[in-house]
């Protein structure tokens, strides 16, 4: 058993788990992964052994318990990545932090009506005006961030950052639900989906057999 364990939900559906997992991967630390399938008696039986909130993700690192995705991303940055998961430029960092926090607390319609579902494709959900508002906000936010950092690299803030991890599940949704996006954002989606760590996650998600009925949205 490793000293560092990340407890996550199903890779196919658990968007909060993906965010924390990706930051840990990018920080280079070796960690043990424990998958507790969401919405199962097993999850209910075991989650209390790890998580004070009974939610995933939760990180157990040398006796410390760190819960909540954004806290795990920040902890990974400080403890394992030497601060490299935020850019040096304070303006970019401020923008990235605002975006990460907006993702963490916002986009309620996008999250509930278009749940992350990595293995699904060509799903159609009806887009009402409130969902459209979330989609439009997400597209304009990502597009302007990419335009601002285009000279520094392919990620949202140039180099990979916590902001990319927070928005990775949004890219999954763009793909699953066929959301039309501008060219620069389309290129970003392709780059993120072909990242080796993201591919590893996707491959594992496709192999899972669990189905969470309420997260199977769309026709
Ligand atoms: N704010 C939390 C949300 C975590 C969350 O809602 N996790 C879901 C899975 S993606 C969960 O554990 N659901 C199980 C439950 O609520 O019983 C975070 O950012 O980590």
């Amino acid at each position: 058993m490793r000293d560092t364990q990340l407890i996550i939900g199903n890779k196919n559906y658990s968007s909060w788990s993906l965010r924390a997992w990706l930051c840990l991967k990018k920080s280079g630390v070796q960690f043990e992964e424990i998958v507790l399938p969401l919405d199962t008696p097993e999850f209910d039986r075991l989650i209390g052994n790890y998580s004070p909130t009974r939610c995933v993700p939760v990180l157990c690192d040398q006796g410390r318990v760190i819960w909540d995705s954004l806290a795990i991303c920040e902890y990974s940055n400080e403890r394992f990545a030497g601060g490299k998961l935020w850019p040096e430029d304070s303006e970019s960092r401020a923008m990235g932090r605002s975006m990460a926090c907006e993702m963490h607390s916002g986009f309620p319609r996008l999250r509930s009506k278009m749940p992350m579902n990595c293995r699904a494709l060509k799903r159609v959900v009806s887009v009402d005006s409130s969902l459209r508002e979330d989609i439009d906000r997400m597209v304009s936010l990502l597009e302007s961030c990419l335009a601002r950092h285009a000279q520094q690299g392919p990620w949202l803030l140039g180099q990979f950052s916590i902001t990319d991890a927070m928005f990775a599940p949004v890219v999954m949704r763009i793909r699953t639900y066929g959301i039309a996006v501008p060219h620069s954002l389309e290129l970003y989606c392709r780059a993120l989906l072909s990242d080796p760590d993201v591919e590893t996650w996707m491959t594992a998600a496709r192999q899972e057999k669990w189905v969470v009925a309420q997260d199977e949205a769309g026709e």
Side-chain angles (χ1 to χ4, degrees):
M1 188 175 92
R2 286 191 188 275
D3 286 346
T4 308
Q5 298 173 313
L6 182 69
I7 295 85
I8 58 178
N10 317 25
K11 289 188 172 168
N12 190 53
Y13 302 109
S14 186
S15 60
W16 299 112
S17 298
L18 168 58
R19 294 169 169 113
W21 183 92
L22 197 49
C23 280
L24 276 180
K25 281 284 184 191
K26 295 297 181 197
S27 73
V29 67
Q30 299 292 313
F31 63 97
E32 182 186 354
E33 216 178 272
I34 298 175
V35 178
L36 298 185
L38 296 169
D39 208 24
T40 63
E42 185 187 350
F43 186 96
D44 290 341
R45 188 163 46 82
L46 295 174
I47 188 64
N49 297 341
Y50 303 104
S51 172
T53 58
R54 299 188 66 82
C55 280
V56 285
V58 59
L59 178 69
C60 301
D61 181 43
Q62 306 202 337
R64 295 176 189 164
V65 177
I66 303 98
W67 65 96
D68 202 290
S69 57
L70 194 47
I72 298 169
C73 294
E74 292 284 5
Y75 183 86
S76 307
N77 181 46
E78 276 185 29
R79 176 152 161 73
F80 306 121
K84 294 267 187 281
L85 298 184
W86 284 125
E88 278 176 22
D89 176 65
S90 66
E91 213 174 306
S92 294
R93 213 164 52 239
M95 184 178 192
R97 282 202 162 112
S98 298
M99 289 172 67
C101 288
E102 182 177 347
M103 183 69 249
H104 195 241
S105 61
F107 298 103
R109 281 82 46 142
L110 189 70
R111 294 210 317 252
S112 63
K113 295 182 179 166
M114 292 181 158
M116 188 175 90
N117 188 346
C118 295
R119 65 185 167 227
L121 273 178
K122 297 190 178 166
R123 290 294 176 94
V124 178
V125 298
S126 75
V127 178
D128 60 15
S129 59
S130 63
L131 177 56
R132 175 49 57 196
E133 269 177 36
D134 271 10
I135 293 172
D136 290 348
R137 168 68 187 153
M138 174 273 285
V139 168
S140 74
L141 182 62
L142 294 182
E143 201 185 10
S144 65
C145 187
L146 286 167
R148 194 155 158 175
H149 297 95
Q151 302 305 314
Q152 280 97 55
W155 298 96
L156 288 171
L157 305 177
Q159 302 306 306
F160 180 89
S161 72
I162 288 175
T163 310
D164 296 291
M166 292 305 287
F167 280 86
V170 167
V171 171
M172 302 296 179
R173 289 167 162 102
I174 289 173
R175 185 177 153 280
T176 301
Y177 301 101
I179 301 171
V181 294
H183 185 62
S184 62
L185 182 47
E186 175 60 32
L187 291 181
Y188 172 71
C189 293
R190 281 190 218 158
L192 185 130
L193 290 169
S194 58
D195 174 80
D197 293 318
V198 174
E199 279 186 338
T200 300
W201 177 279
M202 295 284 285
T203 301
R206 285 192 196 101
Q207 286 165 0
E208 288 176 351
K209 299 284 180 249
W210 303 292
V211 174
V212 177
Q214 72 263 24
D215 286 344
E216 289 291 331
E219 310 273 310

